[in-house]
Amino acid sequence: MNQELLHRIGAGTLLCALALTATSCKMTVDATARGGWRPLFNGQNTDGWQMAGPGEFKLEYGELVTYGGMGLFCYTREKFGDCRIRVVFQPTSSRDNSGVFIRIPEPPPDEWYAVHHGYEVQIENSGDAWHRTGCLYSISQAKNPVDARVNEWNEMMITLDGKRTLVEVNGRLVTDYTEGDPVPPKVKDYEPERRPRPNSGYIGLQNHDDNGHVHFRSVSVGPLH
């Protein structure tokens, strides 16, 4: 077999491989589009996100990592309601503290605005049944207490359905709360005000303190049904 023929066979094989790769990529993109999920954090930059309060989120190896605090990293391009929000996160110690804020009526001017006007979906394993991973902080009691896995990726699925909020952590339902359900009285000054929250609002991620670092790999929004 001469060199020219070998060259043609090699080129043909390469073209077939490229065509298959392009088809595979297109199928992946199409499948994602059909699922309706849209990333709010793309792992490359923090476009659309704005910091309020002390501390920061650093972009490290395609992940958002909490430093210092207490602060809030808010996605300010649009409000979200009647949708699902998927957050993939990883604590690095059993006492790491963070949270995902939802139903914030306006872009927060400071770190406390979201506490008292939105809801915090807590990320922290050492709290009681009202202050632990998957709860609306001091508002809803955990239906099924779940510990976020340390140094492993965890999935939090938040469903905003009108005035109803559901939270699943690693597939287990932790919160099913509807605006107007009974809540305990506010005890500490740092606990959220007891007031109605809007059906839709901005979302944000909390950096709580200097004692730990929580990693966020993905934040995306998808259709309600």
Side-chain angles (χ1 to χ4, degrees), residues 63-138:
E63 302 163 12
L64 291 172
V65 185
T66 64
Y67 283 86
M70 185 184 84
L72 182 74
F73 203 40
C74 184
Y75 188 79
T76 59
R77 284 182 170 170
E78 60 186 294
K79 295 182 178 182
F80 298 98
D82 291 324
C83 66
R84 289 180 295 161
I85 300 164
R86 179 177 179 266
V87 179
V88 179
F89 68 96
Q90 180 178 143
T92 55
S93 83
S94 60
R95 299 193 65 82
D96 275 1
N97 194 329
S98 183
V100 180
F101 279 83
I102 56 174
R103 301 188 187 273
I104 310 169
E106 302 295 338
D110 57 58
E111 67 275 23
W112 287 105
Y113 180 87
V115 172
H116 297 304
H117 295 83
Y119 288 131
E120 178 189 2
V121 183
Q122 176 76 340
I123 297 175
E124 200 231 359
N125 289 340
S126 59
D128 62 26
W130 297 87
H131 304 84
R132 62 175 297 109
T133 299
C135 292
L136 302 185
Y137 184 80
S138 89

Side-chain angles (χ1 to χ4, degrees), residues 49-68:
W49 294 83
Q50 180 177 317
M51 193 72 207
E56 62 181 322
F57 276 76
K58 293 183 180 180
L59 183 58
E60 299 179 351
Y61 304 104
E63 302 163 12
L64 291 172
V65 185
T66 64
Y67 283 86

Side-chain angles (χ1 to χ4, degrees), residues 121 134 136 156-159 165-169 172-175:
V121 183
L136 302 185
M156 177 180 286
M157 186 72 73
I158 304 169
T159 300
T165 303
L166 297 97
V167 181
E168 296 174 67
V169 178
R172 294 188 65 189
L173 180 67
V174 181
T175 288

